[in-house]
Amino acid sequence: MDDLKNKYLGLIADAGDEATLEDLRVQAVGKKGEISLQMRELGKMTPEERQIAGPALNALKDEINSALAAKKAALGDAALDERLRSEWLDVTLPARDRRVGTIHPVSQVWEECTTIFADMGFAVAEGPQIDSDWYNFDALNIPGHHPARAEMDTFYMHRAEGDNRPPHVLRTHTSPVQIRHMEKHGAPTRIICPGRVYRADYDQTHTPMFHQVEGLAIDKDISMANLKWVLEEFFTAYFGTTVKTRFRASHFPFTEPSAEVDIQCSFEGGTVKVGEGDDWLEVLGSGMVHPKVLQAGGIDPALWQGFAFGMGIDRIAMLKYGIPDLRAFFDSDLRWLRHYGFAGLAVPTIRGGV
């Protein structure tokens, strides 16, 4: 019995994997194993012999089973150690670089405009993108025969059959917001109206949906000189350099007098440089608010006067960041934004409504 014990304890100790260990278990204590066969012989022994051989065989069986269990646990621990060594990960190493989200140029310029005008005391006003024909045209002194009211230029909403009211429109500018604000808050006031607008146009510098920021200031003693100062302050802050402006007489139904505004620039090497050179680039329309527009907003033009202006957010974004095609803002693979260095804003948004 000692020979049997030494044999299997030695084989178990030398086993290199669980498959070999299972074979040894079957050979030793399986139904036909050597120890099991010897236990069957107990029935052939005398009572005196069984009293000696029985406890010895049971003890041997228990010792072999314990050795098998201990070896199996040791093999499992060794396999785990090997796996840990092969799959080891240093959690103190820095993480791999991952691309961060980027802010769209239009959103960034929207934020920049809001911040600059806020420094000059302008609040932000917002309004519906679908508005009535009255707010979008009539209240702004735009006559019925004006080209902007033609279906080829403006998106009109469908009316149900039998409904003869003037159709609503996708607003063609953010000027309706000015009327709504005057109706609600009266004068004096100083606001900008940034937002999406819609016109039936599509080429390198026009898209059916684009973004505008309009400004309105009303008080009892306000003039074109105030308008010029505000615009020059804005462009100097926006472009980061002193920018001269040039006013040219023009005509808009909602302002009188009206002026197109140009900014100083140079055209060199196919690029536009703002704030230098002897050339000029038109960037916006402006003027003193027409008395009829003040009346439509519920303000007495005999007591109050004001100026207004409007510019394309997308276009001034193109100027500042050298983006050549307005359509690229909306229908291109936006991975091109990384080329222009657009990353997430490091400051919280201040966009809001009044």
Side-chain angles (χ1 to χ4, degrees):
M1 200 173 296
D2 288 339
D3 292 340
L4 200 59
K5 172 183 174 180
N6 294 332
K7 169 187 174 183
Y8 281 107
L9 290 179
L11 291 172
I12 290 171
D14 294 336
D17 54 61
E18 291 192 14
T20 301
L21 198 62
E22 178 62 16
D23 290 340
L24 292 174
R25 186 193 68 77
V26 172
Q27 293 174 27
V29 296
K31 289 184 178 182
K32 296 182 180 181
E34 289 189 67
I35 297 174
S36 299
L37 291 176
Q38 288 203 18
M39 295 187 74
R40 292 178 187 176
E41 297 295 322
L42 291 175
K44 300 177 182 180
M45 297 180 183
T46 63
E48 292 80 10
E49 290 174 333
R50 282 199 299 273
Q51 287 180 352
I52 298 172
L57 284 170
N58 282 327
L60 175 60
K61 182 179 180 181
D62 290 342
E63 188 172 0
I64 295 299
N65 281 328
S66 296
L68 287 167
K71 185 64 176 180
K72 184 176 182 179
L75 289 173
D77 290 342
L80 179 59
D81 289 341
E82 180 61 29
R83 181 180 175 186
L84 291 174
R85 283 193 295 271
S86 63
E87 298 181 2
W88 180 79
L89 176 66
D90 186 353
V91 296
T92 66
L93 291 174
R96 293 185 179 92
D97 289 337
R98 299 180 67 180
R99 291 190 182 276
V100 298
T102 60
I103 187 169
H104 196 280
V106 171
S107 299
Q108 180 159 313
V109 172
W110 186 318
E111 297 289 345
E112 292 173 353
C113 292
T114 302
T115 301
I116 295 168
F117 282 116
D119 287 342
M120 290 188 280
F122 285 80
V124 175
E126 296 179 334
Q129 296 181 47
I130 299 175
D131 216 331
S132 70
D133 188 70
W134 188 85
Y135 277 110
N136 196 79
F137 294 121
D138 294 328
L140 294 163
N141 197 37
I142 300 175
H145 61 270
H146 195 281
R149 301 183 78 148
E151 290 189 358
M152 67 182 65
D153 289 331
T154 298
F155 295 105
Y156 286 90
M157 309 299 292
H158 177 70
R159 285 288 192 193
E161 186 175 353
D163 188 342
N164 296 320
R165 293 176 300 167
H168 278 37
V169 300
L170 291 178
R171 66 183 183 190
T172 59
H173 41 195
T174 58
S175 301
V177 180
Q178 298 180 21
I179 302 295
R180 291 178 176 275
H181 186 83
M182 285 189 283
E183 286 180 334
K184 184 176 181 179
H185 299 280
T189 191
R190 193 183 307 177
I191 59 168
I192 59 167
C193 312
R196 296 181 182 89
V197 296
Y198 306 85
R199 296 179 190 175
D201 209 348
Y202 187 75
D203 57 34
Q204 187 174 358
T205 57
H206 300 84
T207 52
M209 185 280 291
F210 57 102
H211 302 81
Q212 275 190 341
V213 57
E214 297 190 9
L216 172 70
I218 299 174
D219 213 319
K220 290 186 176 181
D221 185 18
I222 203 166
S223 68
M224 291 284 282
N226 301 119
L227 169 64
K228 183 176 177 65
W229 179 86
V230 166
L231 293 177
E232 288 189 346
E233 286 294 305
F234 168 76
F235 287 123
T236 296
Y238 177 71
F239 289 107
T241 185
T242 301
V243 179
K244 295 179 182 179
T245 61
R246 182 179 68 175
F247 281 47
R248 290 179 292 107
S250 186
H251 169 72
F252 303 111
F254 29 80
T255 52
E256 179 60 38
S258 303
E260 300 279 5
V261 180
D262 304 333
I263 57 174
Q264 176 193 17
C265 69
S266 67
F267 297 92
E268 296 179 0
T271 61
V272 180
K273 295 183 179 179
V274 175
E276 61 179 60
D278 299 321
D279 293 312
W280 298 92
L281 179 68
E282 177 192 330
V283 288
L284 61 89
S286 67
M288 299 299 291
V289 181
H290 197 288
K292 290 185 178 181
V293 175
L294 292 174
Q295 288 177 334
I299 294 176
D300 186 353
L303 299 176
W304 304 92
Q305 60 190 33
F307 65 74
F309 60 86
M311 70 185 92
I313 293 177
D314 316 301
R315 291 185 178 179
I316 62 174
M318 294 170 66
L319 277 178
K320 184 171 183 176
Y321 298 108
I323 299 169
D325 194 320
L326 182 65
R327 294 168 293 187
F329 284 132
F330 310 114
D331 59 6
S332 297
D333 184 341
L334 294 184
R335 287 177 294 185
W336 64 266
L337 293 178
R338 297 192 188 100
H339 173 71
Y340 295 97
F342 288 97
L345 283 178
V347 295
T349 177
I350 62 169
R351 185 182 305 168
V354 174

